[in-house]
């Protein structure tokens, strides 16, 4: 209670301040040491940056921009949220087609009454199909689910290049074209999260990063979070732990700011740590659990 936040002050993650504290205008603070916030610096916004912030505010107060943006995001979320269901349905359709080709009826191989001795005229009765065809279906389904997940991941890669192309360093005001694309890619990443997480720690994750545009050296062990892959550079033998944040963006005053992040050869980031955009983790450096590099 009683805290004052000055004009254009920025408070980062987990900022804590005692009663009656004051965050000076234009200041940037984060976290806390001994119950007091850590002031990082004063921001010196250029005229171009200020223009971007005012443009974001203008769009916020423009009904066309505001509702158009939110409707697009809601539509994208409704379309992309069932992504795992799409993959499962694709596998089921292919499995059913294969089963039918093997001599059974589609959809789990159940036969109609007119093919069964006790069905009765005009009646419908379901009977289990032959054991051989059921065994074929059970063998095919896990393989098809796996192939469907791989196809979905490749579609994710293709959509990234089709929607965004290559991420570029810069400032992007809210409610614009880039903001829409950025939100769609975040929704896509969330929809494919289970498949991407399953690659963690394997050579396949490094291949996926490269396909998405990141520069990745040899013998890397990667878990963690990433989004703007084109701005991420990982040297040889880099290790990124579970739930480490290597995304290359911040959001300040309704402006998305992208900057490159670099981990040099042999650098290691332990679980739940965060690398802020624009940082460089030097050769052989280690960031321990729950820490942050600015």
């Amino acid at each position: 209670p009683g805290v004052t936040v000055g004009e254009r002050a920025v408070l980062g993650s987990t900022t804590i301040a005692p009663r009656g504290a004051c965050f000076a205008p234009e200041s940037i603070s984060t976290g806390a040491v001994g119950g007091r916030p850590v002031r990082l610096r004063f921001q010196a916004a250029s005229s171009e940056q200020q223009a971007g912030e005012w443009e974001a505010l203008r769009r916020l107060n423009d009904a066309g921009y505001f509702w158009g943006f939110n409707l697009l995001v809601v539509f994208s979320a409704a379309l992309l949220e069932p992504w795992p269901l799409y993959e499962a349905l694709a596998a089921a359709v292919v499995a059913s087609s294969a089963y039918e080709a093997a001599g059974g009826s589609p959809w789990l191989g159940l036969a109609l009454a007119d093919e069964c001795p006790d069905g009765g005229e005009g009646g419908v009765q379901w009977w289990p199909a032959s054991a051989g065809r059921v065994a074929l279906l059970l063998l095919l389904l896990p393989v098809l689910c796996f192939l469907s997940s791989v196809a979905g991941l490749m579609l994710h890669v293709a959509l990234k290049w089709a929607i965004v192309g290559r991420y570029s360093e810069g400032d992007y005001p809210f409610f614009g074209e880039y903001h829409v694309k950025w939100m769609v890619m975040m929704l896509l990443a969330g929809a494919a999260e289970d498949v991407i997480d399953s690659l963690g720690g394997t050579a396949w994750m490094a291949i996926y990063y490269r396909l998405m545009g990141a520069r990745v050296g040899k013998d890397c062990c990667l878990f963690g979070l990433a989004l703007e892959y084109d701005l991420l550079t990982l040297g040889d033998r880099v290790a990124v732990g579970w739930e480490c944040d290597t995304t290359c963006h911040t959001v300040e005053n309704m402006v998305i700011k992208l900057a490159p992040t670099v981990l040099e050869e042999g650098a290691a980031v332990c679980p739940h740590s965060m690398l802020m955009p624009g940082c460089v983790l030097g050769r052989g450096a280690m960031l321990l659990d729950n820490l942050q590099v600015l």
Side-chain angles (χ1 to χ4, degrees):
V3 173
T4 302
V5 180
E7 183 178 355
R8 300 186 74 253
V10 176
L11 278 61
S13 304
T14 65
T15 302
I16 299 175
R19 183 189 300 270
C22 178
F23 292 91
E26 306 280 335
S27 64
I28 300 177
S29 306
T30 189
V33 174
R36 295 187 175 276
V38 179
R39 180 179 295 169
L40 304 178
R41 60 183 172 86
F42 284 93
Q43 54 180 331
S46 65
S47 57
E48 184 178 352
Q49 290 173 325
Q50 289 180 345
E53 294 171 8
W54 282 110
E55 176 62 18
L57 284 172
R58 185 190 70 80
R59 293 172 182 175
L60 175 64
N61 293 301
D62 185 304
Y65 270 103
F66 181 81
W67 289 110
F69 170 82
N70 282 282
L71 287 173
L72 279 171
V73 171
V74 168
F75 173 76
S76 300
L79 184 66
L80 297 174
E81 183 63 27
W83 187 281
L85 179 61
Y86 299 153
E87 295 176 350
L89 286 175
V93 168
V94 175
S96 178
S97 300
Y99 185 91
E100 188 175 10
S105 299
W107 304 111
L108 301 182
L110 298 175
L112 285 173
D114 57 5
E115 299 175 2
C116 302
D118 300 324
E121 185 177 354
V124 177
Q125 180 178 351
W126 299 99
W127 294 84
S130 68
R133 291 197 296 271
V134 171
L136 173 64
L137 185 69
L138 293 176
L139 287 172
L140 275 178
L141 202 53
V143 175
L144 291 172
C145 285
F146 169 75
L147 293 176
S148 178
S149 295
V150 172
L153 201 59
M154 292 302 99
L155 180 59
H156 183 195
V157 173
L159 287 173
K160 181 265 181 184
W161 290 104
I163 295 171
V164 176
R166 187 173 294 279
Y167 287 100
S168 299
E169 182 177 2
D171 297 348
Y172 303 89
F174 267 23
F175 307 115
E177 179 184 356
Y178 177 80
H179 190 193
V180 173
K181 294 178 179 180
W182 186 69
M183 287 299 300
V184 170
M185 291 311 302
M186 290 190 71
L187 290 168
L188 269 172
E193 182 179 6
D194 290 342
V195 178
I196 296 172
D197 284 349
S198 70
L199 302 178
T202 70
W204 296 108
M205 183 65 100
I207 293 172
Y208 172 73
Y209 271 46
R210 293 186 187 108
L211 289 174
M212 293 292 279
R215 290 172 288 280
V216 182
K218 60 184 180 181
D219 300 330
C220 291
C221 178
L222 306 176
F223 292 90
L225 311 172
L227 182 64
E228 300 87 3
Y229 293 89
D230 306 284
L231 297 174
L232 183 61
T233 300
L234 307 173
D236 295 341
R237 293 175 292 282
V238 162
V240 177
W242 184 255
E243 292 190 351
C244 290
D245 189 342
T246 57
T247 57
C248 299
H249 71 266
T250 58
V251 176
E252 300 176 20
N253 300 323
M254 292 197 299
V255 177
I256 302 166
K257 300 188 175 186
L258 303 187
T261 299
V262 178
L263 283 75
E264 296 181 348
E265 180 182 351
V269 186
C270 294
H272 306 287
S273 291
M274 179 182 295
L275 300 171
M276 295 295 287
C279 78
V280 176
L281 197 61
R283 181 175 181 179
M286 176 178 287
L287 187 63
L288 298 180
D289 305 60
N290 304 302
L291 295 179
Q292 183 179 23
V293 171
L294 303 170

